């Protein structure tokens, strides 16, 4: 197999590549923020006029809350009542599973294709020289 | 105290960053690009290269 | 630096990274990066599933990472090159995989570095009092990131010596805290059975335990970073497995102690809410000395972690440049300090920008996601490694036992962790994978044309079986 000689990349195009990578990284962070995807599926289950008992805290626990600077139950209410919602959105789960599986399948197949070229060049070259 | 440290932090960060930029510039103008990017993966390979005829 | 004239001789002389580190440095690099996870982050597992869930995942995820450490030790003691798992992927799976792995590494470590800088600034802010404005907050972030980058720029030995010292102090602080709360007599200070009751141990049931896997990763995330030092370690085949395993043992003990102290002192809702579980534990003992010690230790742990992250992210980025996966310009080594100096500088503004715009939870989630993608790769990687070069065909520095059990355990736990992240952070996970898909397409169909094919394979191995 003929040895592959890559084209020389100009300084300018090198910078274009760098900028592309950096832009992609920033987009990956920004987009979920902007589109509001970064949010967590949880909400505060409100209890009117909360008492420590209503929040399910034992006296020993209350003692620690007070030491941590939460003087009364109302102050700790938002922390205690902030509950996760673990109902599974099957459509989203399936989308996610397909995306991850598709990603890894593409990754391994494309890698394998490139890998065969590498091995062919590396080892056949050597044999020729010998 | 922390306010003082934070202000000093800005100054020190700027100074260190400028030093790195200066040193970077100095190195890049002193040595050739071929030398700077002469590192190759693995000692073993470097050993093989020296034995190439 | 007066030898500017010697350009002809220059082309002959090669500059490489300096081989100078021992197993202690490997330990410091691994544990240094990870230890901050005990000071913040792991406790969000209690948020997702309760205090008992945090303990369960501390050990189950410990199993995941023991698999990671074993697998990693075998492959890396054989493929000893900067870039760690990147170089492994390149030799075992293929170039595109390697490119992705390097991105996971850079992303995981840079985001972890960002989290650490934010954590330090938050901690200082909580104690600074009046007049500490956003300007000052950012000043702390700036000095942390730039200061550590400068340290890394100056040389790897000093960087990891510093890491060794501050990691050891931060770890000792946990031990000291443990013994000062009289762990042998429950009820005096620690009240485990009052904080964790049968009613609140698993508030969301078993689904909460699964969900907690997500943050459980934070107990140990980054231990696999030890391999980045492969080109700078004096005898990688011995030091890397040794340092990594010792690090894993250190962390398992530290994580269990941390859980025991915190779970015995805080109601689970608070534990899942606070950013500084160990610092709060120090506060709850009522001793100002312990509180101050934990304050200092929190900052030291975060510094050690950020320091190691800069080291690792720069090595990964450097390796990408060296193989022309990214412009070769990045692969420059500093002729005096012998560090990948351009990569170090390049990552500074990126880390700063993220630290100024992102919040802690988001940065950590990005880091965790990249980590889990990475571990998924590792489990497949080791199986391919054993298939392409069965035992006996090449010299291995270390051979891990029970193959393929660790790989299967690792893969299974990764799948569970994806599901755990999905519970609560599904959209972000999908967006993240889409990012990697786009980068992969870019690499495969465009960037790869600049890569020299055969040169990527640098190990003196025989042809892999089946090719």
């Amino acid at each position: 197999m003929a040895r592959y000689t890559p084209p020389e990349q100009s300084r300018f195009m090198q910078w274009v590549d760098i900028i592309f990578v950096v832009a992609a990284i920033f987009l990956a962070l920004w987009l979920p923020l902007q589109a509001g995807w970064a949010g967590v599926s949880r909400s505060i289950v409100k209890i009117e006029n909360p008492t420590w008992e209503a929040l399910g805290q034992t006296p020993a626990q209350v003692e620690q809350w007070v030491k941590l600077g939460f003087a009364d139950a109302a102050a700790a209410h938002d922390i205690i009542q902030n509950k996760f919602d673990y109902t599974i959105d099957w459509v989203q789960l399936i989308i996610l599973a397909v995306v991850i599986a598709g990603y890894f399948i593409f990754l391994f197949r494309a890698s394998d294709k490139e890998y065969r070229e590498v091995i062919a060049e590396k080892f056949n070259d050597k044999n020729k020289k010998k | 105290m922390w306010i003082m440290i934070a202000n000093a932090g800005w100054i020190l960060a700027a100074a260190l960053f400028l030093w790195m930029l200066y040193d970077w510039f100095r190195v890049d103008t002193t040595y050739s690009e071929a030398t700077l990017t002469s590192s190759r993966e693995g000692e073993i390979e470097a050993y093989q290269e020296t034995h190439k005829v | 630096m007066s030898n500017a004239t010697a350009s002809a001789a220059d082309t002959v002389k090669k500059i490489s990274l300096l081989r100078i580190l021992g197993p202690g440095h490997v330990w410091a690099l691994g544990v240094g990066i990870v230890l901050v996870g005990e000071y913040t982050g792991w406790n969000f597992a209690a948020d997702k599933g309760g205090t008992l869930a945090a303990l369960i995942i501390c050990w189950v995820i410990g199993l995941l990472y023991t698999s990671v450490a074993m697998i990693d030790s075998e492959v890396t003691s054989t493929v000893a090159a900067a870039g760690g798992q990147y170089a492994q992927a390149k030799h075992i799976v293929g170039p595109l995989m390697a490119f992705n792995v390097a991105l996971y590494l850079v992303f995981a470590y840079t985001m972890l570095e960002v989290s650490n800088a934010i954590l330090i600034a938050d901690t200082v802010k909580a104690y600074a009092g009046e007049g500490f404005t956003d300007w000052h907050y950012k000043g702390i972030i700036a000095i942390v990131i730039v200061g550590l980058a400068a340290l890394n720029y100056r040389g790897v030995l000093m960087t990891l010596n510093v890491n060794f010292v501050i990691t050891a102090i931060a770890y000792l602080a946990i031990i000291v805290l443990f013994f000062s709360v009289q762990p042998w007599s429950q009820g005096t200070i620690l009240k485990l059975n009052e904080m964790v009751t049968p009613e609140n141990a698993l508030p969301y049931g078993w689904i909460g335990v699964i969900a907690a896997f997500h943050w459980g990763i934070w107990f140990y995330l980054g231990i696999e970073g030890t391999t980045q030092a492969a080109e700078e370690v004096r005898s990688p085949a011995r030091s890397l497995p040794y340092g990594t395993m010792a690090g894993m043992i250190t962390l398992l003990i530290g994580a269990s102690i941390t859980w025991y102290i915190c779970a015995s002192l805080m109601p689970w809702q608070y534990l899942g809410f606070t950013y500084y579980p160990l610092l709060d534990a120090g506060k709850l003992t009522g001793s100002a000395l312990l509180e101050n010690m934990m304050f200092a230790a929190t900052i030291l742990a975060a510094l050690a972690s950020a320091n190691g992250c800069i080291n690792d992210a720069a090595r990964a980025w450097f390796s990408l440049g060296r193989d022309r996966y990214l412009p070769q310009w990045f692969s420059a080594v500093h002729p005096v300090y012998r560090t990948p100096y351009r990569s170090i500088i390049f990552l500074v503004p990126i880390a700063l920008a993220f630290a100024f715009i992102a919040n802690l939870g988001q940065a950590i989630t990005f880091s965790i996601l990249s980590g889990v993608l990475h571990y998924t790769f590792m489990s497949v990687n080791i199986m391919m490694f054993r298939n392409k070069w069965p035992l006996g065909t090449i010299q291995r520095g270390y051979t891990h036992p029970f193959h393929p059990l660790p790989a299967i355990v690792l893969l299974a736990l990764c799948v569970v962790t994806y599901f755990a992240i999905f519970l609560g952070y599904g959209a972000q996970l999908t967006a993240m994978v889409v990012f990697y898909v786009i980068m992969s397409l870019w690499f495969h169909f465009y960037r790869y044309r600049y890569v020299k094919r055969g040169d990527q394979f640098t190990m003196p191995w025989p042809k892999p079986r089946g090719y």
Side-chain angles (χ1 to χ4, degrees), chain C residues 268-352:
Chain C
W268 74 273
Q269 294 98 336
Y270 184 81
L271 184 58
F273 161 80
T274 181
Y275 277 178
Y276 334 99
L278 277 172
L279 177 52
D280 282 325
K283 199 189 279 179
L284 282 170
T285 59
S287 148
L289 187 69
L290 282 179
E291 185 181 348
N292 286 332
M293 180 184 80
M294 293 322 283
F295 172 79
T298 302
I299 290 179
L300 287 181
L303 276 176
S305 178
N307 195 18
C309 287
I310 293 174
N311 180 81
D312 286 359
R315 299 296 178 287
W317 198 256
F318 158 82
S319 312
L320 279 177
R322 198 160 60 173
D323 284 322
R324 300 176 170 224
Y325 285 24
L326 287 175
Q328 212 188 356
W329 184 80
F330 287 114
S331 69
V333 174
H334 196 290
V336 181
Y337 305 136
R338 310 282 285 275
T339 51
Y341 68 112
R342 286 181 188 160
S343 299
I344 293 173
I345 296 182
F346 175 76
L347 293 171
V348 169
I350 294 183
L352 277 178

Side-chain angles (χ1 to χ4, degrees), chain A residues 17 64 86 103 114-115, chain C residues 48 91 100 104 265 444 447:
Chain A
D17 278 6
Q64 302 301 78
Y86 289 147
Y103 166 66
E114 292 169 356
Y115 188 70
Chain C
K48 278 192 118 180
H91 285 94
N100 275 269
Y104 303 155
L265 285 170
H444 185 66
R447 180 69 216 179

Side-chain angles (χ1 to χ4, degrees), chain A residues 76-125:
Chain A
H77 170 270
D78 283 2
I79 295 172
I80 295 176
Q81 290 304 107
N82 196 356
K83 309 262 190 214
F84 274 100
D85 177 12
Y86 289 147
T87 35
I88 296 166
D89 180 346
W90 287 101
V91 177
Q92 218 193 19
L93 181 62
I94 290 167
I95 293 176
L96 177 69
V98 169
V99 169
I100 293 184
Y103 166 66
F104 273 108
I105 290 170
F106 169 69
L107 206 51
F108 278 102
R109 293 187 63 146
S111 293
D112 190 64
K113 209 176 127 211
E114 292 169 356
Y115 188 70
R116 281 176 192 280
E117 279 177 29
V118 172
I119 296 301
E121 192 176 302
K122 165 93 182 171
F123 289 94
N124 294 345
D125 250 28

Side-chain angles (χ1 to χ4, degrees), chain A residues 19-52:
Chain A
I19 291 166
F20 171 80
V21 172
V22 173
I25 292 173
F26 272 90
L27 267 184
L29 184 89
W30 267 109
L31 218 57
L33 257 187
Q34 291 299 309
W37 298 336
V40 184
S41 48
R42 64 189 308 177
S43 54
I44 296 174
V45 184
K46 255 204 147 80
I47 297 179
E48 295 298 328
N49 301 320
T51 59
W52 287 117

Side-chain angles (χ1 to χ4, degrees), chain A residues 8-19:
Chain A
E8 272 305 312
Q9 195 181 21
S10 67
R11 263 272 152 110
F12 175 73
M13 281 311 287
Q14 293 198 12
W15 279 105
V16 171
D17 278 6
I18 295 170
I19 291 166

